């Protein structure tokens, strides 16, 4: 299922170094920025995978592994859960999570066999991939036929309340980062959201990669969006 010696494939070295730098405070800052909601959003997102006990799941761009626990609850002790990320310091923080294995690997070239996973999740990761279309194609390669993919990430909201929440995010997150000595990293996060694909662009990218029944759902006044689809 997983190659014995996965090969490390680098993406943007600057982004990797940035995540390595913020790894020690990443979980704490995530909880502050999301008002402690990000784990609930992840648990909700995993429902779209429709995983059964005994299934095999992979969390791509796993970071500190916060998708691993809700995936484990779905597949049960007889199932398997892997986490993959290109940043070793982030993955080291995931060692306490109930994964069967943690893999060093790039989202656009995963160290995993084709047609081997029942479900794949990504949390706040596609936004940081240089080529989201390539990442979606790679995810489809790894999924079994009928396997499902879910991605949750920041989005540009609509409506006055959503735009106010976005304004707060854009202004408060850099201040929060500066307090922890990571001003650049937490200035990058809002900027990457503004450069990110729209909901419809992401949907199209997933469909072109080979996913069907692609849908999406907004959370948190439209500042968060879940996308999902099934491999044909």
């Amino acid at each position: 299922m997983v190659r014995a010696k996965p090969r490390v494939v680098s993406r943007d070295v600057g982004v990797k170094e940035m995540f390595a730098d913020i790894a020690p405070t990443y979980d704490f800052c995530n909880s502050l920025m999301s008002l402690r909601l990000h784990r609930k959003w992840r648990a909700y997102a995993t429902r779209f995978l429709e995983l059964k006990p005994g299934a095999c799941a992979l969390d791509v761009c796993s970071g500190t592994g916060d998708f691993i626990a809700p995936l484990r609850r779905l597949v049960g002790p007889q199932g398997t859960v892997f986490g993959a990320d290109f940043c070793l310091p982030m993955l080291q923080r995931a060692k306490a999570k109930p994964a069967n294995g943690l893999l060093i690997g790039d989202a656009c070239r995963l160290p995993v066999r084709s047609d081997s996973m029942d479900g794949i999740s990504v949390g706040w990761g596609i936004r940081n991939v240089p080529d989201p279309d390539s990442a979606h194609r790679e995810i489809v390669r790894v999924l079994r036929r009928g396997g499902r993919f879910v991605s949750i990430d920041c989005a540009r909201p609509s409506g006055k309340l959503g735009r106010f929440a976005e304004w707060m995010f854009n202004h408060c997150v850099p201040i929060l980062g500066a307090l922890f000595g990571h001003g650049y990293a937490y200035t990058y996060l809002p900027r990457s959201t503004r450069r990110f694909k729209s909901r419809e662009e992401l949907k199209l990218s997933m469909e072109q990669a080979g996913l069907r029944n692609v849908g999406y759902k907004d959370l948190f006044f439209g500042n968060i969006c879940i996308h999902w689809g099934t491999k044909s």
Side-chain angles (χ1 to χ4, degrees), residues 47-135:
R47 299 180 189 178
F48 293 93
L49 293 175
E50 299 181 359
L51 291 169
K52 301 293 191 295
C56 189
L58 171 67
D59 183 34
V60 176
C61 302
S62 195
T64 59
D66 276 341
F67 248 129
I68 291 173
L71 290 172
R72 169 61 64 195
R73 287 194 290 270
L74 292 176
V75 305
Q78 64 272 50
T80 51
V81 177
F82 296 96
D85 198 277
F86 76 146
C87 181
L88 180 59
M90 294 289 280
L91 271 186
Q92 288 174 333
R93 299 275 163 175
K95 288 182 178 179
K97 313 293 170 64
N100 294 93
L102 298 173
L103 314 171
I104 298 291
D106 188 275
C108 295
R109 196 170 180 181
L110 292 167
V112 181
R113 292 178 185 170
S114 300
D115 308 307
S116 62
M117 295 291 163
D118 299 299
I120 296 179
S121 62
V122 175
W124 290 273
I126 297 295
R127 172 168 45 95
N128 298 310
V129 175
D131 187 353
D133 298 334
S134 177

Side-chain angles (χ1 to χ4, degrees), residues 126-145:
I126 297 295
R127 172 168 45 95
N128 298 310
V129 175
D131 187 353
D133 298 334
S134 177
H136 286 148
R137 289 192 296 270
E138 182 71 347
I139 284 164
V140 170
R141 178 189 69 79
V142 171
L143 278 174
R144 295 185 176 122
R145 180 168 294 183

